[in-house]
Amino acid sequence: MINRRTLIASLSVVSLLLATGSAFAQDPLTVGILIPGSKSDKGWMESGFDGLTAAQAKYGDQIVVQMIENISNADMEQALTQLASQNALVIGVGGQTQADVLKVAPRFPDVKFSIVGGNAGVEVANVAGYDVKQAEIAFVAGAAAAMLSETGAVSYVGGLEIPSIVNAGTEFGNGARYINPDIKYFESYTGDFDDVAKSKEATLAAIAQGADIHYHILNLGLRGMEQAAKESGTHIIGSYSNYCGTDPLYLAYSITGVGYQVQYAIDEAVAGTWVAGYKPFGLAMGADASDMIVCDPTPEMTEKLTEIMEDIKSGKITVLEG
């Protein structure tokens, strides 16, 4: 027979076990994400936000997210410092965050930092740089543009004139000439991913010289390209995500897996398999990471673009880094 003293002792042990069990329950992963532009830009930033949204749906209360968006380059270091002081994983969406991540990360050695759009210059012990390899898919986009063009002229507008954006522009032109050696190609840079007026001006200048298919690496500046294309009856190959069927201005989309890489960083951190260092994505990582989608292709076009992507993966076609 259990006496009162034994019962009280037993209940005390159960209470202690319950308390200990709750103490050892896994805390949620705290994630800070910096989206320098607008999360509704129909471009890089929106793709990154879509990846974050997908991760939140996947993990629920296993992760807690703090997001900062729409900040200037001058405020980036302060924003990253704020996120790093409150989170276990910090994600910078865009190569423009890399310089400031590399400044901030050494001050927070226990925090993991992932740069979506990072490059081989990442050599800090707690920083991972995910290279979307935009130049690869830009070559394929150039090939698609040449196939879609009715005038034999195509254009590219980039934002900041930095190596990865310039390399993508170069390879877009190379891809177009791969299909049509005589194609006219117009390339320009606005100096700002978000400047609507300058991107419209650059696109109109190319249109005046015959360009009817336009490609870009822009954020909100894409609105200017859209205005120019709509006014002139020309068309756009979009970047980052597949929105086929949503806007007749767009005939195709290059997939650059920005959202995929945001999810990748969170997946790795949740699983405890996150590692620092440079990691290339691109075509070798599959269609979620990099792909070319033509909204209404001919069978011949699909076959040729697939062949080009396989030749890039095999090294038969070589492209610039970035």
Side-chain angles (χ1 to χ4, degrees):
M1 182 176 179
I2 299 176
N3 61 34
R4 185 172 181 274
R5 180 176 296 177
T6 303
L7 179 60
I8 291 171
S10 299
L11 289 173
S12 297
V13 170
V14 171
S15 297
L16 178 62
L17 287 172
L18 288 172
T20 305
S22 63
F24 282 102
Q26 187 173 1
D27 292 330
L29 173 72
T30 52
V31 180
I33 183 164
L34 175 60
I35 297 180
S38 168
K39 67 178 184 290
S40 56
D41 66 355
K42 293 176 69 175
W44 182 288
M45 302 299 160
E46 184 168 334
S47 179
F49 180 70
D50 288 345
L52 174 65
T53 302
Q56 288 176 299
K58 177 179 180 179
Y59 290 111
D61 59 9
Q62 288 181 260
I63 64 173
V64 175
V65 174
Q66 178 185 9
M67 182 176 72
I68 297 175
E69 66 164 326
N70 260 335
I71 65 164
S72 67
N73 290 338
D75 294 328
M76 210 170 290
E77 182 178 350
Q78 181 180 350
L80 287 165
T81 300
Q82 178 183 331
L83 292 173
S85 67
Q86 300 172 21
N87 296 283
L89 171 69
V90 174
I91 303 171
V93 181
Q96 66 267 48
T97 68
Q98 178 160 312
D100 289 299
V101 166
L102 297 181
K103 288 181 188 176
V104 173
R107 306 203 301 264
F108 297 90
D110 295 328
V111 176
K112 300 174 177 66
F113 292 80
S114 292
I115 306 164
V116 175
N119 58 41
V122 174
E123 297 176 354
V124 178
N126 58 330
V127 178
Y130 302 151
D131 186 352
V132 301
K133 299 187 79 67
Q134 291 179 104
E136 276 190 353
I137 203 62
F139 184 100
V140 187
M147 294 181 203
L148 292 165
S149 176
E150 296 179 356
T151 63
V154 299
S155 77
Y156 167 84
V157 179
L160 290 178
E161 198 168 352
I162 57 178
S164 61
I165 309 303
V166 174
N167 288 353
T170 299
E171 293 302 348
F172 179 77
N174 289 341
R177 286 186 287 268
Y178 186 83
I179 298 297
N180 177 6
D182 298 321
I183 200 162
K184 295 178 181 178
Y185 171 52
F186 306 101
E187 180 178 334
S188 58
Y189 300 88
T190 64
D192 187 329
F193 292 112
D194 295 319
D195 194 313
V196 174
K198 286 183 179 178
S199 63
K200 180 177 182 178
E201 179 183 351
T203 306
L204 286 173
I207 291 168
Q209 299 178 80
D212 66 340
I213 303 292
H214 319 293
Y215 187 58
H216 72 94
I217 295 183
L218 298 166
N219 296 330
L220 279 178
L222 177 58
R223 301 289 188 271
M225 179 175 281
E226 290 177 332
Q227 291 168 14
K230 188 172 183 178
E231 290 171 10
S232 63
T234 59
H235 293 90
I236 300 171
I237 293 179
S239 296
Y240 316 121
S241 300
N242 177 11
Y243 296 114
C244 278
T246 63
D247 189 335
L249 283 177
Y250 289 83
L251 299 184
Y253 293 89
S254 66
I255 309 303
T256 44
V258 177
Y260 174 78
Q261 290 176 54
V262 170
Q263 292 179 72
Y264 180 90
I266 295 171
D267 285 344
E268 295 291 291
V270 169
T273 54
W274 183 97
V275 294
Y278 170 75
K279 182 174 181 61
F281 282 72
L283 292 167
M285 288 289 285
D288 287 337
S290 188
D291 200 5
M292 188 70 224
I293 308 295
V294 177
C295 299
D296 188 19
T298 64
E300 294 78 15
M301 187 180 296
T302 299
E303 182 179 356
K304 186 62 176 177
L305 292 174
T306 300
E307 176 189 301
I308 289 170
M309 288 189 283
E310 291 300 319
D311 285 348
I312 291 173
K313 286 193 287 186
S314 71
K316 184 176 179 181
I317 295 174
T318 59
V319 299
L320 294 168
E321 291 297 323

